[in-house]
Amino acid sequence: DRGNVLVPDAPDADIIREAFEGYASGRFRTQAEVARFLGRFPDFPGNKNGKVLQHKATKILTNPIYAGYIRSPKYGISWLKGRHEPLVSLETFEKVLQLRAGVSYAP
């Protein structure tokens, strides 16, 4: 914690950052590849069997919290600047969203 700014926890923060950057750069062409990447790390939180499913990769790649923003449709918050240190730049996050909205590739 740096004053009122929350600091990301390593090593998960580094793994998530690499997943975002890998997807944005084209290193990972599908969300399934991102899930497989995340699953390579035994301590990365997966399902009850320890597997990281594509659904989890999708939730990570679409969550603005990693870019320093929060949202809560339940409370009517669409994009609010958080008080936490982002893991990825807003540009990287937006690039991931654009890639997800474009052409999809079969794994």
Side-chain angles (χ1 to χ4, degrees):
D1 189 6
R2 293 184 197 147
N4 288 332
V5 177
L6 300 175
V7 179
D9 291 329
D12 288 348
D14 295 332
I15 295 167
I16 291 171
R17 185 179 298 113
E18 188 174 347
F20 267 99
E21 291 171 358
Y23 192 84
S25 71
R27 178 174 147 215
F28 305 127
R29 293 176 50 126
T30 66
Q31 292 165 119
E33 288 180 19
V34 172
R36 282 192 293 276
F37 167 76
L38 296 172
R40 289 184 11 217
F41 299 92
D43 293 333
F44 193 83
N47 65 10
K48 65 181 179 179
N49 297 322
K51 297 247 183 224
V52 177
L53 303 177
Q54 182 175 336
H55 174 73
K56 180 154 188 160
T58 300
K59 284 181 74 170
I60 289 170
L61 293 174
T62 58
N63 192 337
I65 199 158
Y66 297 111
Y69 290 84
I70 58 172
R71 73 172 174 214
S72 174
K74 180 178 178 178
Y75 295 106
I77 300 170
S78 57
W79 279 77
L80 180 65
K81 181 77 172 139
R83 295 188 337 168
H84 60 284
E85 186 177 309
L87 293 182
V88 298
S89 69
L90 185 56
E91 294 79 17
T92 298
F93 183 77
E94 289 174 341
K95 171 92 179 191
V96 166
L97 293 182
Q98 289 171 356
L99 289 169
R100 288 190 71 255
V103 178
S104 60
Y105 298 93

